[in-house]
Amino acid sequence: MAAIDLPAPRAGGTAGAGPDVTAVDGGGGISLRVFDAGLACCAVEVEAALRRHLAGRDGAQTSVVHVFVVAGTVTDKLAPHVLKAYQDTPEPRRVLSFGACANSGGPYWDSYCVTKGVDQFIPVDVYVPGCPPRPEALLDGLALLLPGAGP
């Protein structure tokens, strides 16, 4: 796999105002474009994976899959902003929930203000467990989102 850094979209663009965007060449003419909603400590692991393991060059792509990665604790107050960023992610889009907090609320599950998983308000395609998951786990989760790859 190879990746290139792309400028983050801004307000009025196609992917919201702030998530990082990275193009990942999955081989076979398929490109994953990652939109990262890094909300807490899991975001560090996402960045580590995208910067260290996927650094490289861009290849020719024939099809693009947009991946919205939610990494970290989603509070009830933050949920509408995550939903808006998801809605602004271009089609075809897939969602990867990264870490225990994004998956189920993590150690904060019993707090009155923590959403009990991002799947409460957006559909999730792949869950990556852990607190925090290793960067390699992100790569495995992204591989599952490649067209033709099954769980």
Side-chain angles (χ1 to χ4, degrees):
M1 280 193 216
I4 58 166
D5 290 331
L6 301 174
R10 299 292 165 220
T14 58
D20 292 333
V21 181
T22 303
V24 179
D25 179 12
I30 299 167
S31 173
L32 296 179
R33 184 162 288 165
V34 179
F35 298 88
D36 176 26
L39 306 174
C41 49
C42 283
V44 175
E45 299 299 325
V46 171
E47 286 301 315
L50 295 178
R51 300 277 183 225
R52 191 168 111 213
H53 296 287
L54 301 179
R57 61 197 167 279
D58 185 24
Q61 295 94 20
T62 56
S63 64
V64 176
V65 176
H66 299 97
V67 180
F68 184 67
V69 177
V70 180
T73 309
V74 180
T75 62
D76 293 338
K77 191 167 188 168
L78 189 58
H81 301 288
V82 173
L83 177 61
K84 174 75 169 112
Y86 165 77
Q87 291 169 338
D88 288 346
T89 302
E91 295 281 350
R93 64 181 170 235
R94 306 292 296 271
V95 176
L96 187 140
S97 178
F98 188 76
C101 291
N103 293 346
S104 64
Y108 314 108
W109 66 271
D110 62 346
S111 174
Y112 71 93
C113 64
V114 172
T115 303
K116 309 307 185 255
V118 71
D119 59 359
Q120 299 286 313
F121 56 93
I122 61 175
V124 174
D125 297 297
V126 173
Y127 296 89
V128 177
C131 184
R134 294 188 47 83
E136 294 81 8
L138 176 69
L139 304 179
D140 293 340
L142 289 174
L144 291 173
L145 294 174
L146 289 171

